Amino acid sequence: MFNTLPHLAHLPAHLVLSLGLLFFFLGKTIPGIKKLPATAIFIAMLALAAALEASETGSHDLFFGMVQTDSFSRLYNQLYFIVSALVVVMLHFSDEMDRENDWENYGLLSCLILGMMFMTSASHLLMAVIAIEMVSIPSYLLVALNRKNPASKEASMKYILFGSFATGVMLYGMSFLFGMTGSLTFADIWNGLGSESVGTPIYYLAIGFTLAGMSFKVAAVPFHFWCPDAYQAAPTPITAFLSVAPKVAGLTLMMRFFADHLPVQGDSLTQMLSIVAIVTMVVGSFAALKQTDIKRLLAYSSIAHAGFLMMGVAVLNTDGRQAVFFYIPIYILMNLGAFMAIIYLAQDHDYKISAFNGAVKSNPLLVTAFAVCTLSLAGIPPFAGFVGKFYLFKVAMEKGLYPMILAAGISTVVSLYFYVSLLKVMIIDQEARTFSPLGSKVPVVFVSLCALPLVFLGLYWVPLVNWADKVRLFQ
Amino acid sequence: MISMIPLVPILPLVGALIIGLFGKRIQATIGEFATGVLGCAMPGLAALISFGSFFELIARPATDRIIVSHLAPWVSVADFQVEWAFRYDPLSAMMLMIITGIGTLIHVYSMGYMHEDPSYWRFFSYINLFLGAMLLLVLGDNLLIMFLGWEGVGLCSYLLIGFWFNNPDYAYAGRKAFIVNRIGDLGFLTGMFTLILFSAANFEVVTLSFGELQGRMDTLAQYTLWGFPVLEVAAFCFFVGAIGKSAQIPLYVWLPDAMAGPTPVSALIHAATMVTAGVYMIARMYFMYSLAHFTLEFIAIIAALTCFFSATIGMAQFDIKKVLAYSTVSQLGYMFLAMGVGAYSAGTFHLLTHAAFKAALFMGSGSVIIAMHHEQDMRKMGGLLKKMPITGWAFIFATLAIMGFPGTSGFFSKDEILEKAFEESVWLWLVGFIVAGMTSFYMWRAVFMTFFGEFKGDHHTWEHCHEQPKRTVVPIAILAALALSLGFLNVPDFMGGDYSFSRYLSPVVKNLEEAQVHGMPDSIDGEQHAPVHAEEHGDLLIEVGLMVGSVTWTLLTAFLAYYLYLVNPKAREALMSRAGPQAVFKVLNNKYYVDEFYDLVVVGPLKKCYAFMGDFDKYVVDGAVNLAGYVGRGLGILAGFLDQHIVDGAVNEVAWASQTTGKGFSLLQSGRIQALVGATLVFFAAVLTVWIVYL
């Protein structure tokens, strides 16, 4: 008889999230409980999970090599909790959806977070598939949260179809891998592939198909087509969440999947991944040029950023992992800050760029903070985005991946253009409409709290580098 | 107290932040006075710490006077390590006292000067920020922190010159200062990069800290870059930075225009502190300059030229602040002359005395300008000594100091520079000597035109002209007293002194001659004596002779000014009516037409270049972007074609699902999702093909 308790003891945060999932789905049916403040409970739950996660130590191989918890997974899990908490704040102050659905929303979010945690910890392909689905299915529903909006439902439907397609391709690739190696554990797969198969067509097909499912989560080209539609139609806080968290989870899965490769396989994998990275950043930044909707623009910007982050994955070494982790908190701050700002500047859910003309006149502080987030996204010093990009460029440079650096350079320059034209619209152009004054100070505080660390980290990033030091090894 | 040194730059920065964020509200609710007091509080505290630490420092043994406080790591990328660290030693201690001491006095003075300005709070925020940046520059233990301060003071200077930006001329002056300084900054950066480049090649860890650099000079001295010794290149580049910041030829043009800013700014930034940053930088890196003899010679020549030309321009200006501005450029020339001949302590000493007397002069002129209702033309002044005795006498005392009247501070500092220049080359001395006379002439000219003779403005102004309030005149009086007395810090040996200032600096800054006598400059031995001086009788004669000569010469020119501007103005008018002197005066009054020359040779072609780049952007870059757009559209058409004819079959499953799953699905614009998935497939197939075929 297999004793699961010792294994579960190493997954305290997962347990908390699972209980939360049950609580939010079932609790509503129990008469008295419904009156409890759902938001406060959810945030408390996240805090508890984060505390438990922070107190864990050591590396543990759980459930027959299905799940592995270590410093890598713990650090990323903490980031998921932070993002979720921030998004809950955004949800609370957004007027795009009904308040009475909070219980379901938090249930879905719990499930999604749980899925992301398993994506980060999975060390077995089956676990990876389950985790990806655990993230995907709540995402489909979250995109359609706004039930009165037909566009939301349509986007969600497209998302589902696209997701099923990507999952199908991934399962196909996994069957190849299983056929070639007889195993689904990451380490065994790479050992089984050995050195003979490197360079054969089936090697590329198997790995490429398997990569499809992960690319879908990361929104890497060519699995990015769902992204603009879903982002545009989803309620903005959900867009912000989707543009950050599942993307990061997908990257962690990639990093763990490729971490055990044999030295002889290294070059071919690096080349494969760098091609994906190049295509992703170039497509993301060029496609953003012609967007007229600010949410679509940010969607393409997030695709380009996925490409930048893929640079750190493609080098397949400890420095790369550190650089990726270093960039992510910065990316979270700048992306969430930008989304929060546009939630509050938009009127009647009109996200056309031209609707933001001259916003600086009525909301100087909010637009200033937005400008910091945007310039940081563009990678302009002294904001933190520059330092983050610098580390990514550095690891690629050390690995000698010059074409990728060239592509990243071009993409950065191109993206600068659309970020700055966004700022031009808000700051230089004449006011097109009157902006209603903000009902509450919270959005300004929220965006400023995103912008200030960006300035601080841009000047003094040592603490973050030291924190990121822990993800170098899986220990 | 020394342990509190890191607070010195932080306090004014905090002050700037508080006033910058809440100053407007404070001024509106509590009042202007409270804003001013708040603005003065932080510099005052910083000054308290600086002076307290100084007395603690001199109580220590001479060998133990370098205190480096490591605060936190900063940039740490592979083997490139830079940290937040402050270096407190006799040199920076002296600078701290100048900056915080004069800074605090000027803050107090500003409370009166900026009275009733609507942007009172903005002024104090900027000037606090300036103090913070300047202190950072001085205290930084490595080149990067110094550069941070260097840029910070440049920014503040820009903000404060253009403080009254509603006047387009003032805003233009701010931009001019900023851009000219930028050229110098490029030099500073290049110098820093040169040092990094050769450190990286020779050492495990690249640092920019002064202590480490000093120990590495020997190694770096062995290399050449494009045929020049590395240290010469680096020293030259850093000097280019100093040319920009300290307004030497050819980049001095911004400083006279910088007089557009409020007068306290001119006194603090453009006379006492920021413009001397270049001198400080050379003193701080004397170990590098001592190994770069060609650069030193270059510095001496540039300095002598600057000294001379700006003094000649100063003789022909009518705007009282312009006279002082050109005088500042000329005095900076003296400092660099000292640096150039390797007499670092003499240059630094002149920096100290100049800070006192020039700040007093500027603040005095500010007081006059306010009393005259913002009139700066000396031709409309005269006889003001009766109306403003304190300002007037302070101005006269400071003038005595700058002319080098025996016993005043300028006498000791200028005399030492001239003596060191004489030891190096008679020609350098001759230029310095002539300029000393010109200085005396134009300063007394300003005094006589302003404070003596008949009042030449209108009756109304004369009636309203009065002495300024205490918070304005007391700082001037204090500085004038300092201008008279500071010289006794460094009395030469042949006059019974012992060069106590040079000896005080000697643990951190060694003059060129000592460095050569004692071998490498980093050997700090406690038995360091006063600078080695030739004790022979002949040298003593020369020294005394030089001194008597320059005193006589300056008194002579002072009397010339007295004669031409007070006793017998007719003689001057007669002289000026002749064609020759008139032409010379016109050239000088128009500053040798240098601004016009720069406009013609530099600014004009640059503007043409911008126009060309604008066209390039419009036609070539935009064209390329459009081309990319067309390519994208072409690809889209291709993908659509593939979708229609090849991929449809592959996605029939999806289509079937969407047809059968009911009403909700009909919302899908039919075909759109197929197209997307189809495009994905095509793309994916392309990527796979690339992998298989090319990898």
Side-chain angles (χ1 to χ4, degrees):
Chain A
M1 183 64 194
F2 176 67
N3 189 359
T4 55
L5 279 181
H7 289 259
L8 284 179
H10 290 302
L11 300 170
H14 300 65
L15 283 176
V16 171
L17 265 296
S18 312
L19 289 176
L21 173 64
L22 286 176
F23 174 76
F24 283 114
F25 277 136
L26 302 178
K28 216 183 167 188
T29 59
I30 304 167
I33 291 183
K34 202 184 162 184
K35 296 216 172 57
L36 292 174
T39 309
I41 294 175
F42 187 62
I43 289 190
M45 192 183 82
L46 289 173
L48 174 65
L52 287 171
E53 202 66 353
S55 64
E56 277 283 292
T57 51
S59 165
H60 307 285
D61 202 4
L62 308 174
F63 297 107
F64 310 105
M66 290 285 242
V67 174
Q68 191 174 1
T69 60
D70 44 30
S71 57
F72 180 83
S73 71
R74 278 191 288 274
L75 232 54
Y76 275 104
N77 289 347
Q78 288 168 38
L79 285 186
Y80 302 148
F81 301 141
I82 293 170
V83 182
S84 310
L86 290 174
V87 168
V88 168
V89 175
M90 292 171 77
L91 272 173
H92 197 78
F93 287 94
S94 164
D95 58 347
E96 286 180 52
M97 61 205 87
D98 303 330
R99 277 274 77 78
E100 69 258 27
N101 292 335
D102 274 355
W103 285 76
E104 284 93 336
N105 299 350
Y106 295 147
L108 291 172
L109 272 177
S110 304
C111 177
L112 209 161
I113 298 165
L114 199 56
M116 294 196 298
M117 290 163 76
F118 278 118
M119 268 171 92
T120 308
S121 292
S123 54
H124 189 280
L125 283 178
L126 274 185
M127 194 64 225
V129 176
I130 294 171
I132 287 178
E133 291 306 305
M134 275 180 81
V135 175
S136 295
I137 293 169
S139 309
Y140 305 148
L141 291 165
L142 284 172
V143 168
L145 260 190
N146 203 345
R147 289 169 208 176
K148 289 170 201 136
N149 181 358
S152 275
K153 289 188 223 170
E154 183 187 327
S156 171
M157 196 60 231
K158 281 180 192 161
Y159 194 9
I160 292 173
L161 291 172
F162 210 90
S164 338
F165 167 70
T167 310
V169 174
M170 175 173 66
L171 286 171
Y172 191 39
M174 288 180 181
S175 67
F176 278 159
L177 285 178
F178 187 70
M180 288 159 80
T181 65
S183 172
L184 285 173
T185 312
F186 294 168
D188 291 346
I189 288 173
W190 297 112
N191 280 325
L193 285 173
S195 56
E196 315 84 63
S197 64
V198 176
T200 57
I202 190 75
Y203 171 80
Y204 289 117
L205 283 181
I207 294 170
F209 282 10
T210 310
L211 204 54
M214 305 176 196
S215 305
F216 167 67
K217 286 282 93 180
V218 177
V221 174
F223 291 90
H224 69 287
F225 287 102
W226 59 273
C227 193
D229 282 343
Y231 283 13
Q232 188 183 11
T236 314
I238 298 299
T239 309
F241 184 74
L242 290 181
S243 72
V244 176
K247 220 177 256 282
V248 174
L251 288 167
T252 59
L253 181 56
M254 279 189 196
M255 282 187 274
R256 203 186 275 278
F257 177 58
F258 288 109
D260 290 323
H261 71 272
L262 303 179
V264 67
Q265 295 153 341
D267 280 347
S268 61
L269 295 177
T270 297
Q271 279 166 335
M272 287 166 80
L273 286 169
S274 55
I275 288 173
V276 175
I278 290 170
V279 178
T280 304
M281 50 204 173
V282 170
V283 168
S285 49
F286 274 93
L289 282 177
K290 293 277 170 189
Q291 298 306 321
T292 53
D293 183 292
I294 205 163
K295 280 167 83 178
R296 283 183 85 86
L297 186 141
L298 286 174
Y300 280 108
S301 132
S302 83
I303 292 172
H305 272 89
F308 289 128
L309 285 163
M310 288 278 290
M311 295 210 302
V313 179
V315 297
L316 292 174
N317 58 23
T318 51
D319 285 344
R321 282 200 284 274
Q322 186 178 10
V324 170
F325 183 83
F326 180 78
Y327 197 60
I328 285 169
I330 297 168
Y331 178 60
I332 289 172
L333 286 173
M334 51 203 190
N335 231 22
L336 293 191
F339 272 112
M340 188 68 171
I342 63 164
I343 289 178
Y344 270 86
L345 290 174
Q347 205 166 36
D348 302 329
H349 313 311
D350 180 7
Y351 290 101
K352 288 263 178 310
I353 290 177
S354 52
F356 292 87
N357 274 358
V360 74
K361 301 252 163 40
S362 48
N363 298 297
L365 196 57
L366 192 60
V367 172
T368 309
F370 175 78
V372 171
C373 294
T374 314
L375 291 174
S376 183
L377 278 168
I380 307 238
F383 304 116
F386 167 75
V387 188
K389 271 205 182 113
F390 169 77
Y391 272 95
L392 288 169
F393 276 61
K394 182 190 137 228
V395 293
M397 189 77 109
E398 280 170 356
K399 190 88 175 176
L401 300 171
Y402 298 111
M404 192 160 79
I405 289 167
L406 184 68
I410 293 171
S411 309
T412 307
V413 174
V414 170
S415 65
L416 180 62
Y417 172 77
F418 59 77
Y419 290 128
V420 172
S421 35
L422 202 57
L423 292 181
K424 180 209 150 232
V425 165
M426 288 198 183
I427 295 170
I428 296 177
D429 286 358
Q430 286 302 312
E431 225 170 347
R433 63 176 170 89
T434 48
F435 288 81
S436 48
L438 296 179
S440 109
K441 292 248 172 196
V442 177
V444 179
V445 173
F446 184 97
V447 183
S448 309
L449 285 183
C450 288
L452 283 179
L454 288 176
V455 179
F456 174 75
L457 287 172
L459 298 170
Y460 184 67
W461 55 87
V462 176
L464 193 53
V465 171
N466 291 341
W467 197 39
D469 206 41
K470 288 186 202 156
V471 298
R472 293 171 74 89
L473 298 172
F474 299 103
Q475 60 194 10
Chain B
M1 278 303 225
I2 287 183
S3 55
M4 286 160 78
I5 281 297
L7 280 180
V8 174
I10 293 170
L11 284 171
L13 288 177
V14 170
L17 198 67
I18 293 174
I19 302 175
L21 289 178
F22 310 110
K24 198 174 183 181
R25 203 164 293 172
I26 294 173
Q27 193 181 336
T29 52
I30 313 180
E32 190 184 272
F33 188 72
T35 323
V37 170
L38 191 64
C40 296
M42 291 302 183
L45 278 177
L48 216 63
I49 298 176
S50 306
F51 281 88
S53 307
F54 170 71
F55 289 111
E56 223 168 282
L57 186 77
I58 48 175
R60 288 173 167 233
T63 45
D64 191 26
R65 286 191 189 163
I66 300 173
I67 297 109
V68 178
S69 36
H70 304 270
L71 302 178
W74 185 18
V75 182
S76 149
V77 179
D79 53 359
F80 184 75
Q81 306 286 344
V82 174
E83 57 181 358
W84 281 103
F86 289 148
R87 186 181 186 85
Y88 188 67
D89 60 14
L91 180 61
S92 49
M94 179 201 87
M95 291 299 289
L96 284 197
M97 288 190 294
I98 296 178
I99 297 162
T100 57
I102 296 184
T104 309
L105 288 177
I106 288 177
H107 272 74
V108 174
Y109 172 84
S110 308
M111 283 175 67
Y113 191 88
M114 299 304 288
H115 183 55
E116 285 180 353
D117 193 290
S119 300
Y120 197 79
W121 62 278
R122 196 158 55 87
F123 178 83
F124 276 98
S125 168
Y126 286 168
I127 203 158
N128 263 302
L129 183 66
F130 166 77
L131 270 194
M134 188 70 205
L135 291 166
L136 214 56
L137 189 161
V138 166
L139 271 178
D141 179 48
N142 55 55
L143 282 167
L144 209 57
I145 295 184
M146 188 189 233
F147 185 67
L148 202 68
W150 190 273
E151 291 295 289
V153 293
L155 169 73
C156 294
S157 154
Y158 159 74
L159 290 173
L160 284 164
I161 294 171
F163 183 76
W164 289 310
F165 52 78
N166 286 335
N167 181 335
D169 283 350
Y170 292 2
Y172 175 79
R175 283 206 302 277
K176 183 171 174 185
F178 198 69
I179 291 169
V180 172
N181 267 300
R182 202 71 347 185
I183 301 170
D185 294 345
L186 182 68
F188 193 105
L189 277 176
T190 317
M192 199 150 75
F193 293 154
T194 312
L195 289 182
I196 291 174
L197 182 69
F198 284 89
S199 289
N202 290 295
F203 299 96
E204 286 277 304
V205 175
V206 180
T207 98
L208 292 172
S209 105
F210 296 116
E212 300 271 352
L213 281 177
Q214 188 167 4
R216 291 174 174 190
M217 282 301 140
D218 268 345
T219 318
L220 295 183
Q222 296 160 6
Y223 289 85
T224 56
L225 183 67
W226 301 315
F228 300 103
V230 166
L231 291 183
E232 296 278 0
V233 174
F236 181 80
C237 290
F238 280 113
F239 179 59
V240 172
I243 286 179
K245 187 104 335 193
S246 298
Q248 298 294 294
I249 286 176
L251 298 182
Y252 71 94
V253 285
W254 65 270
L255 185 59
D257 286 12
M259 296 303 129
T263 305
V265 171
S266 311
L268 178 62
I269 301 185
H270 305 120
T273 54
M274 185 187 85
V275 288
T276 60
V279 181
Y280 168 77
M281 189 261 297
I282 292 182
R284 177 50 87 205
M285 298 218 285
Y286 78 98
F287 47 83
M288 183 170 75
Y289 281 92
S290 291
L291 297 174
H293 295 280
F294 291 108
T295 308
L296 278 186
E297 259 173 50
F298 180 75
I299 294 176
I301 292 167
I302 288 284
L305 288 176
T306 310
C307 204
F308 181 77
F309 282 108
S310 52
T312 54
I313 299 174
M315 292 197 298
Q317 297 301 314
F318 291 113
D319 182 328
I320 186 166
K321 280 182 80 180
K322 284 270 157 79
V323 173
L324 294 178
Y326 281 103
S327 156
T328 305
V329 176
S330 167
Q331 297 294 318
L332 287 167
Y334 270 124
M335 294 177 213
F336 279 107
L337 182 62
M339 292 314 198
V341 299
Y344 308 117
S345 62
T348 317
F349 186 55
H350 196 58
L351 191 167
L352 172 68
T353 58
H354 173 256
F357 60 66
K358 191 50 71 61
L361 288 172
F362 263 117
M363 287 156 76
S365 78
S367 174
V368 169
I369 290 167
I370 286 286
M372 299 284 297
H373 299 290
H374 292 277
E375 178 58 68
Q376 306 193 0
D377 193 333
M378 294 190 295
R379 280 170 297 190
K380 294 182 184 155
M381 302 176 186
L384 291 178
L385 190 64
K386 275 171 254 159
K387 285 276 188 179
M388 318 175 66
I390 306 179
T391 306
W393 281 110
F395 200 92
I396 292 168
F397 287 142
T399 305
L400 283 174
I402 194 175
M403 79 176 269
F405 191 78
T408 60
S409 62
F411 169 71
F412 293 104
S413 60
K414 191 187 286 181
D415 191 66
E416 198 184 346
I417 293 176
L418 288 179
E419 184 208 320
K420 291 285 160 58
F422 187 79
E423 284 170 23
E424 179 80 14
S425 141
V426 178
W427 296 109
L428 289 178
W429 169 81
L430 191 62
V431 173
F433 177 75
I434 292 171
V435 172
M438 293 201 276
T439 310
S440 162
F441 177 80
Y442 65 67
M443 281 316 302
W444 283 111
R445 171 177 173 263
V447 169
F448 293 136
M449 285 179 87
T450 313
F451 292 105
F452 293 93
E454 290 295 308
F455 184 73
K456 298 172 208 74
D458 58 62
H459 183 69
H460 178 75
T461 320
W462 176 250
E463 292 291 303
H464 284 84
C465 175
H466 57 84
E467 185 59 285
Q468 293 299 300
K470 283 212 177 54
R471 64 184 111 143
T472 306
V473 291
V474 169
I476 309 179
I478 295 175
L479 281 172
L482 284 175
L484 289 181
S485 57
L486 272 178
F488 291 100
L489 289 178
N490 205 27
V491 181
D493 48 3
F494 61 87
M495 288 175 71
D498 60 351
Y499 284 107
S500 42
F501 181 80
S502 307
R503 219 179 42 181
Y504 158 76
L505 272 188
S506 63
V508 281
V509 181
K510 288 189 187 58
N511 290 343
L512 191 57
E513 39 182 316
E514 301 165 61
Q516 282 161 347
V517 173
H518 291 276
M520 264 314 283
D522 61 335
S523 61
I524 296 168
D525 56 292
E527 299 296 302
Q528 190 66 56
H529 287 296
V532 183
H533 265 274
E535 298 293 335
E536 291 126 53
H537 192 61
D539 277 9
L540 183 66
L541 257 182
I542 291 175
E543 279 168 5
V544 175
L546 289 178
M547 185 179 290
V548 172
S550 60
V551 168
T552 322
W553 167 234
T554 50
L555 285 174
L556 208 66
T557 53
F559 278 117
L560 185 65
Y562 176 67
Y563 179 75
L564 287 180
Y565 283 87
L566 216 56
V567 179
N568 197 354
K570 293 259 163 33
R572 181 184 45 147
E573 277 155 25
L575 185 72
M576 291 311 295
S577 63
R578 278 192 242 153
Q582 211 170 14
V584 171
F585 185 83
K586 200 176 165 204
V587 170
L588 294 182
N589 187 253
N590 284 297
K591 309 141 197 169
Y592 295 103
Y593 298 100
V594 167
D595 278 334
E596 287 77 3
F597 174 75
Y598 281 177
D599 270 345
L600 191 71
V601 176
V602 183
V603 181
L606 265 181
K607 277 187 181 157
K608 282 205 187 95
C609 183
Y610 296 149
F612 169 74
M613 288 203 286
D615 288 347
F616 183 82
D617 195 41
K618 200 157 141 196
Y619 298 114
V620 181
V621 178
D622 282 5
V625 173
N626 285 342
L627 183 70
Y630 291 133
V631 171
R633 211 165 74 178
L635 283 177
I637 294 168
L638 181 70
F641 178 80
L642 289 174
D643 178 46
Q644 224 171 1
H645 296 277
I646 300 165
V647 190
D648 262 5
V651 290
N652 271 348
E653 299 305 274
V654 182
W656 174 80
S658 66
Q659 277 164 12
T660 49
T661 327
K663 211 173 152 192
F665 285 46
S666 66
L667 286 163
L668 282 177
Q669 299 144 3
S670 84
R672 182 103 157 82
I673 185 74
Q674 282 96 323
L676 290 184
V677 176
T680 308
L681 269 182
V682 172
F683 244 116
F684 191 40
V687 170
L688 286 175
T689 316
V690 169
W691 285 353
I692 293 168
V693 177
Y694 293 102
L695 295 188

